Amino acid sequence: TETIDDSVVAVSTSGNLEKINLQEFAQRITSTNPQTFFPCRDGGYNIVLSNDTFVDHQLNCDTYFAGRDTGRNAEGYTNSVLIGPEAGYQSTVFNPDLDFDIASVFIGYRAGRSSTNSDNSVFIGPSAGQDATASNSVFIGNSAGQSSQSDKSVGIGDNALD
């Protein structure tokens, strides 16, 4: 029978890669961030893996935030994933009652930062989708879709559609 001690994850800190079991991983997270799960509405939770960001749990729900300043001052996100320093920082979507499934994914340094109404979009890469207003769009690459005003578009590669 497998236990939590049998499963491992790779962790890189300060350039050192190590393998730790899930129990130790959980202890490391909770020792640097005493509260990780934040209730939002109707029994939902935001998951925040950062001890230096502010996520308003009344304006976002059922969303995963990981990284320095990730999701800081973001509004309207539900069922979304924001990973990386400043990913989704000051980004907003019109969803005041959190009634709509926004389901955006921002991964990378400043991915989706200061974007507006970029619901149901995927931005992957440094500054991908930064300052964009582009719903239902996919931008992959360094600065792909940065400042884009194109809904329902795909941009792949450095500076694509910016």
Side-chain angles (χ1 to χ4, degrees):
T1 303
E2 276 193 40
T3 68
I4 195 166
D5 294 324
D6 295 328
S7 299
V8 296
V9 325
V11 176
S12 176
T13 55
S14 303
N16 297 319
L17 184 63
E18 63 181 302
K19 190 168 57 168
I20 61 174
N21 67 41
L22 292 179
Q23 184 67 37
E24 185 179 344
F25 182 65
Q27 289 171 345
R28 285 191 190 186
I29 291 171
T30 56
S31 67
T32 59
N33 188 10
Q35 187 173 6
T36 305
F37 298 91
F38 296 87
C40 47
R41 64 175 168 94
D42 300 329
Y45 286 89
N46 285 320
I47 298 173
V48 180
L49 298 178
S50 173
N51 59 0
D52 63 353
T53 194
F54 174 76
V55 174
D56 190 321
H57 304 292
Q58 300 307 310
L59 300 176
N60 302 283
C61 196
D62 295 325
T63 295
Y64 180 88
F65 302 89
R68 178 183 49 78
D69 286 329
T70 300
R72 180 182 291 265
N73 301 324
E75 294 183 20
Y77 290 93
T78 56
N79 303 310
S80 296
V81 176
L82 289 73
I83 300 174
E86 297 182 33
Y89 179 99
Q90 294 184 331
S91 62
T92 60
V93 291
F94 184 74
N95 194 10
D97 298 321
L98 302 178
D99 291 336
F100 303 106
D101 183 12
I102 298 303
S104 292
V105 176
F106 302 157
I107 299 175
Y109 173 64
R110 293 190 172 172
R113 186 182 200 269
S114 300
S115 63
T116 305
N117 292 327
S118 294
D119 54 302
N120 301 302
S121 292
V122 176
F123 302 156
I124 300 174
S127 299
Q130 182 175 339
D131 297 315
T133 302
S135 67
N136 301 295
S137 294
V138 176
F139 302 138
I140 300 173
N142 181 33
S143 300
Q146 187 172 11
S147 301
S148 176
Q149 304 292 311
S150 302
D151 288 342
K152 300 179 183 172
S153 58
V154 175
I156 299 175
D158 287 357
N159 301 302
L161 295 178
D162 68 347

